[in-house]
Amino acid sequence: MHCLWCDQVIIPEMSWSNIFFLDKPKNLCDVCESKLEKLTGKRCKRCSRLSDTAECNDCMWWDKHLKGQDSLNSNYSVFAYNSYMQEIIAKWKYRGDYQLGDSFQQLFRNVFLQHFTSLPKEAVAIPIPLSVERMKDRKFNQARVLADFLPLKSIEIITRTDSEKQSKKTRQERLSTKNPFSITETVNKPVILVDDIYTTGTTLRHAATLLKENGCPLVYAYTLIRG
Amino acid sequence: MKGYWHFPAIAVVMSIVTIIFSKWFIAGFLIWLLFLHYKQRLGRIPILVSLAFFLFFYFYIPTIESLEKIMPSGNETSTIGKISGNVINTPKRVEFVIQEHSLKNKILVIYFKGKKKQLSNQQLKKLKHGALCKINGELELPDRSTNPRQFNYRNYLLSQGISLQLTANSLNDMVCEGSSTFSKFYTIRNNLIDHVTENVSPTTAAWLNALVLGDDSALDDSTTELFQRWGLSHILAISGLHVGLFISLLYFIMIRSTLFTVERAQWLIIIFLPFYALIAGGEPSVWRASTMVVLFIVLNKFNIKFSVTDVLSIVFLLLILLDNYIIYNIGFQFSFLVTFGLLLSKQWFSQINSSFFTVLKISFVAQMMILPLQLSYFYTFQPLSILLNVLIVPYFSLFVIPLMFMLLFFSSFTGYITQVIDSFFIHVHNMVLSVIQYIDSIAYFPWIIGTISIFSGMLYYALLVLFMNYTQTKSAKQAFRYGCCISLLLIVLSIRPYFSPIGSVTMLDIGQGDSFVIELPYRKAVIFIDAGATFSYEDNKATDKNYNQIIKPYLYSRGISKIDTIFLSHEDVDHIGSVKFMIDNMDVENVTMSKYFQLDETTEARWRDRGTEIKRIQKGDDITIENQLFSVLSPRSNKGLTNDNSLVLFTELGGYKWLFTGDVGKEIEKEIITNYPNLSVDVLKVSHHGSNTSTDKSFLEHINPKYALISVGKKNSYGHPSKEVLSVLENKNIMVYRTDYNGAVRYQFNKEQGTFLKYLP
């Protein structure tokens, strides 16, 4: 097995912990994995942003803005958005290195299992969709790839109608956009929205609002990165 | 495949245990592999490679049984073959192995120098590795064990591929010509050993030869025994420790001297190490260590990434491929097991910075890894040896071993420095040895557990993996739980006999002599009736051979270290010679003998000193040991003869009535039937090894036994058992068990039912 990022051979080192059950083969070597910055320490319980207070300024702003009617119950993220992560994401998403997504497979799944311990069994994962146009460009939806890593049933019941790139917009522009999603089917089970990155949380809230309007009881977000 | 080479290595271990123990192991191994594959943790390639290795080695590894079928082909008088391996030359004998041409098997050739100790060097020098020899003498099967757990010399030789032995009567019977290039290394080694012996004081030479040249024959037995008792033997066998130190020293000198570049120094080590392994005696542990070092250097040179467990596994496979008998070598087994354990613990070792604790951890892992093997070979282990290792290993690795290498270096050109180092070493070393001896005298509490079954062994390793896993991840609670499980397993193993309703009476085969062991059910008591010894021809004294080779292994393997009573029938060495060794080395509560037994005062004082109670009995006495009644039927008065003064004991065990008669003659037999007219016996210990001075027809008719036990030496010079006695026994339709034919004979019973089991088929 070779490291998906640096292409060095990955040789598992045997110790008492893995001699019997073995670890799953790794996709990133130890060096590359150590450069990924896992979120640790105190963070906002609602959006996973590093914060000394239980609720961060962002989320308080949302509260004010939405008058306490936040459609998104909470978001949880795995990594911080450092420059190394930016490089990986760029290569993965924009330059189409589909395989590179596997680098996150184990951690994305393990952290999910650790965090969402009290989730009901019928919960489903819904990846944030790409527009048809974007899908043609990229050939894969990174949110779908991530959702497939999770031990949940993943359904695609929302579609995207706009085509503009979120990443090219300013914060104000993002916050004021109209809901770009439409729904094809209703769901009355708890939902985990899956996406690669949580920046302002607008996109996720648009999707959450749509789901809740259509009878979904609980909507959480689980994202790879907290921007 | 990288990082997964330990799977083929484990597969080979599985083929060995499948061959030796049970086919279930391969099933278990397969399930494990498939489970890992199903969980996406193991790819197809390692699985296929492992299975291929399993299959290949399953047919490649020799079984001891398959070799046993080779029999000496009649009275062949001369054998032709090439000498393989080293020629061992001790003051008493010359010994070497030849590879026979026609039979394709190896033969051990022994020549006893006897009194003609001045061997002609000319003839000896021709005995070299690779020499083609014609040797006259009769081929024989080596001695096999005749008692449970006795050292089995035949199997020991078979496990090296040697199936026959040949004793040459004179040097003229061995005609050898030629040699191989290999023999030069043996010559160098022998010359080096001689050089050391000549230039260094004997004490130092013994240590130098053992630690640097891998020849521990000059170390005195008490020291090697002391080291073995305390789990320090690994220091005496050249292994990774010595090779590592040697390489570091050599490398350091080469670099410091500025004569060599790093590059060249490394190449030199790569080339030189195999030679060192040969000169150091070529034991498996030396090969393991040096091959690993060579591989490490080579891999680093070519900048190839590797995992250490892979290197170990590949060396393991390689050594077995080169010599398929090596797996039976204890040193090989211990060496790889310990190294594997240490490599798995790398992460755990790196968690702390204190070198004291690192050494403690290493010592702990090493001891835990070999425990099941240690139990199956020695039946006992010494928990405190982990602590002693922490003190002694650094002493040897930082002081003794480097000093020995230096001494070998200096001894070749300067006398003065050699002398200084020599006397300095002796001074320090004697001090350290006396510390170990002191610790041995106050703190030797071995845990005698007995044998361990392969399944308990596997359970042990499963628990050990769990325990070490939680220790490594610092989950103290879980680690503690599994640590307790391991202790519990060992405790269960050692208290098992106390819950077993099975009792036994065993007639050990100690050659010409008597030794009976009675083990009461639930381990209520262990009772001996006699424990004979062999004589030494030089001073007619009892030797410890029977004790060390037969009695001790038997008792230890059954987890026995305490004996409740030893009955001494009479004074003869072939009946009581081993008793003193038992009292000296074990816990003997009581020794019981007749009123007329002449025990000299010093012996009596010594035994009392060891805490052994001495009891005198005579006819009419009843002795009860944990509800087991022994009635004394004789002697009633002093007969003046030791044999006739023998204790005659009657007891009921396992549904039978037993009579133990010592060496009494016909007169006493008559006296007994007069005194006990109603005496009837099921099992008779035939008096005096079946001599015609005892076992009168009338006596047999009176007591009417079903079984007769004769403890007698094979081809003994007394002509025991006599034809008369045998024919009387046959006429009476009495089933005869005799040690010279059957080996040890054991009556095993549960309540009132039991069967006789013969050790030899």
Side-chain angles (χ1 to χ4, degrees):
Chain A
M1 196 67 206
H2 291 249
C3 175
L4 289 174
W5 185 248
C6 70
D7 205 35
Q8 281 278 356
V9 189
I10 303 173
I11 304 171
E13 277 291 339
M14 287 299 134
S15 79
W16 290 105
S17 314
N18 58 11
I19 183 69
F20 191 75
F21 284 117
L22 288 184
D23 293 327
K24 276 201 173 159
K26 282 184 153 186
N27 294 316
L28 281 186
C29 70
D30 288 344
V31 181
C32 293
E33 196 182 287
S34 70
K35 286 195 250 172
L36 293 174
E37 193 182 333
K38 242 183 112 175
L39 288 169
T40 48
K42 281 188 178 172
R43 52 172 119 175
C44 172
K45 63 177 185 189
R46 281 179 62 188
C47 73
S48 236
R49 181 183 178 192
L50 289 184
S51 152
D52 284 334
T53 51
E55 245 175 79
C56 70
N57 292 338
D58 269 9
C59 292
M60 288 202 245
W61 182 89
W62 275 113
D63 253 359
K64 246 166 77 188
H65 184 74
L66 300 169
K67 297 172 187 83
Q69 299 292 305
D70 195 344
S71 53
L72 190 65
N73 290 67
S74 73
N75 166 64
Y76 196 80
S77 310
V78 184
F79 296 108
Y81 205 33
N82 61 10
S83 57
Y84 176 70
M85 183 58 107
Q86 279 178 18
E87 275 182 63
I88 296 184
I89 294 296
K91 198 175 175 200
W92 181 37
K93 263 164 71 173
Y94 306 133
R95 275 178 268 145
D97 188 344
Y98 176 77
Q99 276 290 311
L100 197 51
D102 289 348
S103 322
F104 309 118
Q105 184 176 6
Q106 278 173 41
L107 269 169
F108 195 66
R109 185 191 153 97
N110 291 347
V111 171
F112 177 82
L113 289 173
Q114 277 162 28
H115 184 72
F116 291 94
T117 42
S118 51
L119 200 67
K121 267 188 185 150
E122 74 264 20
V124 291
I126 300 179
I128 295 295
L130 293 178
S131 62
V132 179
E133 213 182 358
R134 215 33 77 244
M135 191 65 185
K136 260 186 191 162
D137 276 2
R138 290 199 195 154
K139 307 290 187 210
F140 72 94
N141 175 5
Q142 73 282 357
R144 165 102 204 256
V145 172
L146 290 171
D148 286 345
F149 292 156
L150 300 181
L152 291 180
K153 199 182 155 203
S154 155
I155 51 173
E156 289 176 279
I157 55 162
I158 48 179
T159 52
R160 192 164 191 141
T161 45
D162 77 333
S163 61
E164 280 162 285
K165 286 184 182 171
Q166 284 294 95
S167 55
K168 296 279 150 76
K169 290 178 185 167
T170 66
R171 183 178 173 87
Q172 273 315 311
E173 281 170 343
R174 289 192 200 190
L175 292 175
S176 57
T177 44
K178 277 192 178 163
N179 197 330
F181 299 111
S182 60
I183 194 160
T184 55
E185 227 177 276
T186 59
V187 59
N188 55 3
K189 298 165 187 166
V191 162
I192 310 282
L193 283 171
V194 180
D195 205 358
D196 54 344
I197 185 161
Y198 178 107
T199 315
T200 61
T202 316
T203 313
L204 287 159
R205 280 184 174 85
H206 279 315
T209 310
L210 191 67
L211 284 166
K212 285 219 165 148
E213 282 167 5
N214 287 282
C216 177
L218 276 167
V219 181
Y220 302 100
Y222 183 52
T223 48
L224 185 67
I225 305 159
R226 179 63 175 91
Chain B
M1 198 61 205
K2 269 191 182 176
Y4 296 101
W5 274 100
H6 60 286
F7 278 99
I10 294 174
V12 172
V13 175
M14 285 300 143
S15 56
I16 298 165
V17 292
T18 304
I19 290 170
I20 300 178
F21 299 104
S22 154
K23 301 257 185 288
W24 288 105
F25 284 100
I26 182 58
F29 181 61
L30 260 176
I31 290 170
W32 181 41
L33 291 186
L34 292 177
F35 167 78
L36 291 176
H37 185 67
Y38 171 73
K39 288 272 172 187
Q40 295 173 1
R41 277 138 211 265
L42 191 64
R44 235 170 301 159
I45 296 170
I47 293 182
L48 291 177
V49 173
S50 303
L51 292 183
F53 271 86
F54 173 84
L55 276 179
F56 175 73
F57 280 87
Y58 185 74
F59 295 105
Y60 180 67
I61 286 165
T63 58
I64 287 189
E65 290 80 31
S66 74
L67 279 159
E68 229 172 338
K69 288 175 189 134
I70 299 170
M71 293 292 283
S73 49
N75 292 329
E76 216 171 320
T77 46
S78 76
T79 308
I80 298 171
K82 265 188 182 168
I83 298 184
S84 67
N86 199 1
V87 177
I88 296 159
N89 186 4
T90 69
K92 280 186 182 160
R93 64 199 156 88
V94 180
E95 199 180 288
F96 57 90
V97 174
I98 60 166
Q99 177 80 50
E100 218 265 358
H101 269 308
S102 53
L103 280 171
K104 280 187 180 171
N105 62 340
K106 289 183 187 167
I107 297 165
L108 180 75
V109 180
I110 310 166
Y111 168 69
F112 290 100
K113 292 177 181 170
K115 285 181 182 109
K116 317 152 271 182
K117 272 180 189 165
Q118 293 304 317
L119 259 181
S120 100
N121 257 336
Q122 215 52 26
Q123 273 165 307
L124 253 183
K125 269 190 180 154
K126 287 200 169 170
L127 300 175
K128 277 180 179 174
H129 180 270
L132 189 66
C133 297
K134 187 179 171 198
I135 297 159
N136 294 327
E138 199 184 326
L139 289 171
E140 302 162 310
L141 278 172
D143 286 343
R144 58 164 301 170
S145 62
T146 59
N147 290 283
R149 306 295 166 182
Q150 184 187 359
F151 174 67
N152 194 334
Y153 189 57
R154 187 183 297 175
N155 278 5
Y156 170 73
L157 290 180
L158 280 175
S159 73
Q160 300 168 44
I162 302 165
S163 45
L164 298 169
Q165 71 177 15
L166 191 162
T167 311
N169 292 322
S170 89
L171 272 180
N172 298 326
D173 284 339
M174 305 188 273
V175 186
C176 293
E177 217 44 72
S179 68
S180 70
T181 38
F182 229 50
S183 69
K184 293 207 176 64
F185 295 108
Y186 291 117
T187 316
I188 294 174
R189 176 165 190 252
N190 293 342
N191 289 347
L192 270 174
I193 291 172
D194 290 345
H195 164 85
V196 169
T197 318
E198 277 161 30
N199 290 293
V200 183
S201 70
T203 320
T204 315
W207 285 95
L208 207 168
N209 284 335
L211 297 174
V212 178
L213 300 168
D215 173 25
D216 62 0
S217 59
L219 285 176
D220 56 329
D221 290 347
S222 66
T223 310
T224 34
E225 216 175 90
L226 181 70
F227 272 58
Q228 199 221 304
R229 265 211 296 277
W230 284 90
L232 298 168
S233 299
H234 63 101
I235 296 173
L236 301 181
I238 297 183
S239 64
L241 179 70
H242 310 66
V243 173
L245 281 169
F246 172 63
I247 296 301
S248 325
L249 211 69
L250 197 70
Y251 192 70
F252 180 77
I253 292 168
M254 285 197 285
I255 300 295
R256 272 298 152 107
S257 67
T258 67
L259 291 171
F260 301 91
T261 58
V262 173
E263 188 77 0
R264 276 214 190 137
Q266 289 183 351
W267 278 118
L268 269 175
I269 285 175
I270 292 175
I271 296 164
F272 188 70
L273 256 183
F275 296 128
Y276 174 66
L278 276 177
I279 287 169
E283 285 294 315
S285 54
V286 189
W287 280 116
R288 196 219 81 233
S290 20
T291 320
M292 278 180 79
V293 172
V294 168
L295 268 177
F296 282 141
I297 301 176
V298 171
L299 288 168
N300 270 324
K301 273 200 159 310
F302 293 104
N303 226 341
I304 300 169
K305 276 184 94 185
F306 58 87
S307 97
V308 268
T309 42
D310 277 1
V311 173
L312 180 74
S313 308
I314 290 169
V315 169
F316 175 77
L317 297 170
L318 214 66
L319 290 186
I320 301 180
L321 273 176
L322 289 174
D323 175 8
N324 51 1
Y325 286 101
I326 205 169
I327 51 143
Y328 292 111
N329 183 300
I330 302 183
F332 176 83
Q333 296 166 355
F334 276 36
S335 181
F336 275 94
L337 210 51
V338 167
T339 316
F340 189 53
L342 296 181
L343 293 183
L344 290 182
S345 313
K346 244 174 50 183
Q347 252 187 53
W348 184 47
F349 294 156
S350 64
Q351 284 170 7
I352 38 154
N353 280 324
S354 140
S355 49
F356 171 78
F357 279 105
T358 308
V359 177
L360 185 64
K361 281 178 169 184
I362 291 176
S363 169
F364 175 76
V365 172
Q367 175 69 68
M368 295 306 276
M369 280 308 283
I370 59 167
L371 195 86
L373 274 191
Q374 162 130 16
L375 288 184
S376 65
Y377 290 124
F378 307 113
Y379 321 114
T380 164
F381 97 105
Q382 166 58 279
L384 290 173
S385 79
I386 296 173
L387 289 175
L388 194 64
N389 262 288
V390 175
L391 299 175
I392 302 303
V393 170
Y395 163 69
F396 269 88
S397 43
L398 297 176
F399 177 73
V400 182
I401 299 172
L403 198 73
M404 290 297 112
F405 276 106
M406 272 160 62
L407 197 58
L408 179 64
F409 177 70
F410 284 121
S411 69
S412 42
F413 54 87
T414 144
Y416 181 66
I417 297 181
T418 311
Q419 260 179 29
V420 172
I421 299 180
D422 194 339
S423 51
F424 172 64
F425 168 74
I426 291 183
H427 192 71
V428 177
H429 201 60
N430 279 341
M431 235 155 59
V432 174
L433 282 186
S434 52
V435 169
I436 305 179
Q437 272 150 6
Y438 176 69
I439 293 173
D440 182 54
S441 67
I442 57 160
Y444 182 62
F445 302 114
W447 188 358
I448 295 161
I449 292 179
T451 49
I452 179 169
S453 71
I454 179 79
F455 291 101
S456 310
M458 289 285 159
L459 179 63
Y460 172 89
Y461 281 118
L463 291 172
L464 182 66
V465 168
L466 284 164
F467 168 72
M468 288 305 296
N469 167 36
Y470 289 116
T471 309
Q472 182 184 312
T473 53
K474 297 190 178 164
S475 324
K477 236 185 184 171
Q478 295 279 12
F480 180 72
R481 181 177 302 163
Y482 287 104
C484 288
C485 284
I486 295 178
S487 309
L488 198 70
L489 173 67
L490 296 179
I491 290 169
V492 167
L493 284 177
S494 40
I495 63 172
R496 235 175 353 180
Y498 294 88
F499 293 95
S500 161
I502 292 168
S504 67
V505 181
T506 310
M507 168 169 68
L508 293 173
D509 175 22
I510 57 160
Q512 182 71 10
D514 271 17
S515 186
F516 291 82
V517 196
I518 299 169
E519 294 160 64
L520 296 184
Y522 305 103
R523 189 56 51 89
K524 285 226 167 95
V526 177
I527 302 152
F528 265 78
I529 298 175
D530 285 346
T534 51
F535 296 96
S536 115
Y537 289 107
E538 281 144 28
D539 51 10
N540 246 358
K541 273 188 180 164
T543 67
D544 57 4
K545 192 180 138 221
N546 279 348
Y547 171 71
N548 277 329
Q549 297 185 2
I550 299 167
I551 297 172
K552 187 168 98 175
Y554 176 78
L555 293 178
Y556 274 22
S557 73
R558 303 192 54 79
I560 298 169
S561 58
K562 179 180 153 271
I563 294 154
D564 295 82
T565 295
I566 308 177
F567 287 104
L568 310 183
S569 69
H570 63 294
E571 292 91 330
D572 291 353
V573 170
D574 63 335
H575 286 255
I576 63 152
S578 293
V579 172
K580 64 173 177 188
F581 303 110
M582 293 165 76
I583 290 176
D584 282 348
N585 293 290
M586 307 181 115
D587 182 7
V588 179
E589 292 237 305
N590 172 295
V591 173
T592 303
M593 64 202 87
S594 92
K595 226 174 154 183
Y596 313 109
F597 188 107
Q598 288 180 349
L599 186 64
D600 67 276
E601 276 171 27
T602 45
T603 315
E604 181 164 346
R606 193 182 159 79
W607 289 1
R608 285 192 199 281
D609 221 36
R610 289 279 307 160
T612 304
E613 184 196 351
I614 292 170
K615 200 171 171 183
R616 301 283 188 163
I617 52 175
Q618 62 177 324
K619 179 200 165 279
D621 286 346
D622 280 340
I623 294 112
T624 313
I625 303 163
E626 296 291 332
N627 289 331
Q628 180 65 37
L629 180 73
F630 289 87
S631 310
V632 187
L633 311 192
S634 183
R636 196 170 60 162
S637 56
N638 194 344
K639 309 285 173 193
L641 294 164
T642 54
N643 279 357
D644 281 350
N645 276 339
S646 287
L647 270 184
V648 176
L649 295 170
F650 176 86
T651 191
E652 288 182 52
L653 265 172
Y656 285 143
K657 300 187 187 95
W658 300 70
L659 191 67
F660 295 92
T661 52
D663 276 358
V664 291
K666 290 184 176 175
E667 280 305 305
I668 310 296
E669 288 173 350
K670 269 187 201 135
E671 193 183 298
I672 289 170
I673 47 180
T674 335
N675 289 335
Y676 299 91
N678 298 325
L679 181 67
S680 113
V681 167
D682 298 309
V683 187
L684 171 70
K685 193 228 73 125
V686 174
S687 177
H688 205 184
H689 324 289
S691 157
N692 58 6
T693 54
S694 320
T695 322
D696 198 76
K697 199 175 158 195
S698 61
F699 180 63
L700 281 182
E701 273 164 0
H702 188 94
I703 62 170
N704 196 21
K706 295 190 190 86
Y707 302 96
L709 305 178
I710 306 177
S711 187
V712 65
K714 205 173 195 171
K715 295 179 190 160
N716 64 78
S717 53
Y718 309 95
H720 295 161
S722 73
K723 275 183 191 150
E724 294 122 280
V725 171
L726 287 177
S727 68
V728 174
L729 289 169
E730 199 185 341
N731 288 338
K732 298 273 164 238
N733 267 332
I734 297 167
M735 178 74 197
V736 175
Y737 292 107
R738 42 195 287 195
T739 54
D740 54 346
Y741 289 174
N742 307 131
V745 177
R746 177 184 182 78
Y747 176 71
Q748 196 162 296
F749 61 90
N750 192 348
K751 296 203 179 83
E752 303 298 305
Q753 292 286 320
T755 39
F756 281 94
L757 307 165
K758 298 178 284 187
Y759 184 74
L760 297 181

PDB file of all heavy atoms in Angstrom, chain B residues 702-713:
ATOM      1  N   HIS B 702       0.670 -68.786  49.349  1.00  0.00           N
ATOM      2  CA  HIS B 702      -0.046 -68.297  50.518  1.00  0.00           C
ATOM      3  C   HIS B 702      -0.739 -66.958  50.267  1.00  0.00           C
ATOM      4  O   HIS B 702      -1.928 -66.794  50.550  1.00  0.00           O
ATOM      5  CB  HIS B 702       0.917 -68.173  51.693  1.00  0.00           C
ATOM      6  CG  HIS B 702       0.223 -67.857  52.978  1.00  0.00           C
ATOM      7  ND1 HIS B 702      -0.157 -68.841  53.868  1.00  0.00           N
ATOM      8  CD2 HIS B 702      -0.207 -66.691  53.483  1.00  0.00           C
ATOM      9  CE1 HIS B 702      -0.772 -68.256  54.878  1.00  0.00           C
ATOM     10  NE2 HIS B 702      -0.822 -66.959  54.678  1.00  0.00           N
ATOM     11  N   ILE B 703       0.015 -66.014  49.712  1.00  0.00           N
ATOM     12  CA  ILE B 703      -0.582 -64.664  49.567  1.00  0.00           C
ATOM     13  C   ILE B 703      -1.352 -64.522  48.260  1.00  0.00           C
ATOM     14  O   ILE B 703      -2.158 -63.634  48.107  1.00  0.00           O
ATOM     15  CB  ILE B 703       0.487 -63.554  49.696  1.00  0.00           C
ATOM     16  CG1 ILE B 703       1.536 -63.679  48.580  1.00  0.00           C
ATOM     17  CG2 ILE B 703       1.139 -63.601  51.067  1.00  0.00           C
ATOM     18  CD1 ILE B 703       2.451 -62.489  48.510  1.00  0.00           C
ATOM     19  N   ASN B 704      -1.067 -65.354  47.292  1.00  0.00           N
ATOM     20  CA  ASN B 704      -1.835 -65.449  46.056  1.00  0.00           C
ATOM     21  C   ASN B 704      -2.035 -64.122  45.296  1.00  0.00           C
ATOM     22  O   ASN B 704      -3.175 -63.676  45.106  1.00  0.00           O
ATOM     23  CB  ASN B 704      -3.193 -66.081  46.385  1.00  0.00           C
ATOM     24  CG  ASN B 704      -3.859 -66.571  45.125  1.00  0.00           C
ATOM     25  OD1 ASN B 704      -3.192 -66.789  44.107  1.00  0.00           O
ATOM     26  ND2 ASN B 704      -5.169 -66.731  45.185  1.00  0.00           N
ATOM     27  N   PRO B 705      -0.934 -63.492  44.852  1.00  0.00           N
ATOM     28  CA  PRO B 705      -1.087 -62.197  44.166  1.00  0.00           C
ATOM     29  C   PRO B 705      -1.551 -62.347  42.718  1.00  0.00           C
ATOM     30  O   PRO B 705      -1.395 -63.407  42.116  1.00  0.00           O
ATOM     31  CB  PRO B 705       0.322 -61.621  44.213  1.00  0.00           C
ATOM     32  CG  PRO B 705       1.218 -62.805  44.269  1.00  0.00           C
ATOM     33  CD  PRO B 705       0.468 -63.892  44.967  1.00  0.00           C
ATOM     34  N   LYS B 706      -2.141 -61.283  42.183  1.00  0.00           N
ATOM     35  CA  LYS B 706      -2.536 -61.257  40.769  1.00  0.00           C
ATOM     36  C   LYS B 706      -1.442 -60.617  39.932  1.00  0.00           C
ATOM     37  O   LYS B 706      -1.256 -60.932  38.767  1.00  0.00           O
ATOM     38  CB  LYS B 706      -3.803 -60.429  40.582  1.00  0.00           C
ATOM     39  CG  LYS B 706      -5.042 -60.984  41.253  1.00  0.00           C
ATOM     40  CD  LYS B 706      -6.254 -60.165  40.761  1.00  0.00           C
ATOM     41  CE  LYS B 706      -7.504 -60.487  41.558  1.00  0.00           C
ATOM     42  NZ  LYS B 706      -7.620 -59.690  42.802  1.00  0.00           N
ATOM     43  N   TYR B 707      -0.754 -59.652  40.529  1.00  0.00           N
ATOM     44  CA  TYR B 707       0.265 -58.908  39.793  1.00  0.00           C
ATOM     45  C   TYR B 707       1.576 -58.943  40.564  1.00  0.00           C
ATOM     46  O   TYR B 707       1.570 -58.940  41.790  1.00  0.00           O
ATOM     47  CB  TYR B 707      -0.142 -57.437  39.614  1.00  0.00           C
ATOM     48  CG  TYR B 707      -1.457 -57.260  38.892  1.00  0.00           C
ATOM     49  CD1 TYR B 707      -2.645 -57.077  39.591  1.00  0.00           C
ATOM     50  CD2 TYR B 707      -1.495 -57.272  37.502  1.00  0.00           C
ATOM     51  CE1 TYR B 707      -3.844 -56.910  38.936  1.00  0.00           C
ATOM     52  CE2 TYR B 707      -2.698 -57.108  36.831  1.00  0.00           C
ATOM     53  CZ  TYR B 707      -3.874 -56.930  37.550  1.00  0.00           C
ATOM     54  OH  TYR B 707      -5.054 -56.773  36.895  1.00  0.00           O
ATOM     55  N   ALA B 708       2.665 -58.958  39.790  1.00  0.00           N
ATOM     56  CA  ALA B 708       3.984 -58.898  40.417  1.00  0.00           C
ATOM     57  C   ALA B 708       4.773 -57.765  39.779  1.00  0.00           C
ATOM     58  O   ALA B 708       4.788 -57.624  38.552  1.00  0.00           O
ATOM     59  CB  ALA B 708       4.713 -60.210  40.219  1.00  0.00           C
ATOM     60  N   LEU B 709       5.379 -56.933  40.612  1.00  0.00           N
ATOM     61  CA  LEU B 709       6.196 -55.828  40.105  1.00  0.00           C
ATOM     62  C   LEU B 709       7.657 -56.140  40.367  1.00  0.00           C
ATOM     63  O   LEU B 709       8.036 -56.430  41.498  1.00  0.00           O
ATOM     64  CB  LEU B 709       5.825 -54.524  40.822  1.00  0.00           C
ATOM     65  CG  LEU B 709       4.364 -54.096  40.795  1.00  0.00           C
ATOM     66  CD1 LEU B 709       4.182 -52.805  41.600  1.00  0.00           C
ATOM     67  CD2 LEU B 709       3.894 -53.883  39.358  1.00  0.00           C
ATOM     68  N   ILE B 710       8.464 -56.105  39.308  1.00  0.00           N
ATOM     69  CA  ILE B 710       9.898 -56.357  39.483  1.00  0.00           C
ATOM     70  C   ILE B 710      10.664 -55.124  39.014  1.00  0.00           C
ATOM     71  O   ILE B 710      10.585 -54.744  37.851  1.00  0.00           O
ATOM     72  CB  ILE B 710      10.371 -57.592  38.688  1.00  0.00           C
ATOM     73  CG1 ILE B 710       9.515 -58.811  39.051  1.00  0.00           C
ATOM     74  CG2 ILE B 710      11.839 -57.864  38.960  1.00  0.00           C
ATOM     75  CD1 ILE B 710       9.862 -60.061  38.262  1.00  0.00           C
ATOM     76  N   SER B 711      11.377 -54.515  39.953  1.00  0.00           N
ATOM     77  CA  SER B 711      12.191 -53.355  39.592  1.00  0.00           C
ATOM     78  C   SER B 711      13.618 -53.831  39.428  1.00  0.00           C
ATOM     79  O   SER B 711      14.273 -54.191  40.400  1.00  0.00           O
ATOM     80  CB  SER B 711      12.088 -52.294  40.688  1.00  0.00           C
ATOM     81  OG  SER B 711      12.726 -51.129  40.273  1.00  0.00           O
ATOM     82  N   VAL B 712      14.085 -53.827  38.192  1.00  0.00           N
ATOM     83  CA  VAL B 712      15.362 -54.478  37.923  1.00  0.00           C
ATOM     84  C   VAL B 712      16.067 -53.787  36.749  1.00  0.00           C
ATOM     85  O   VAL B 712      15.411 -53.260  35.847  1.00  0.00           O
ATOM     86  CB  VAL B 712      15.112 -55.985  37.640  1.00  0.00           C
ATOM     87  CG1 VAL B 712      14.303 -56.172  36.380  1.00  0.00           C
ATOM     88  CG2 VAL B 712      16.405 -56.757  37.553  1.00  0.00           C
ATOM     89  N   GLY B 713      17.405 -53.786  36.804  1.00  0.00           N
ATOM     90  CA  GLY B 713      18.175 -53.114  35.761  1.00  0.00           C
ATOM     91  C   GLY B 713      18.280 -53.963  34.510  1.00  0.00           C
ATOM     92  O   GLY B 713      18.315 -55.194  34.578  1.00  0.00           O
TER      93      GLY B 713
END
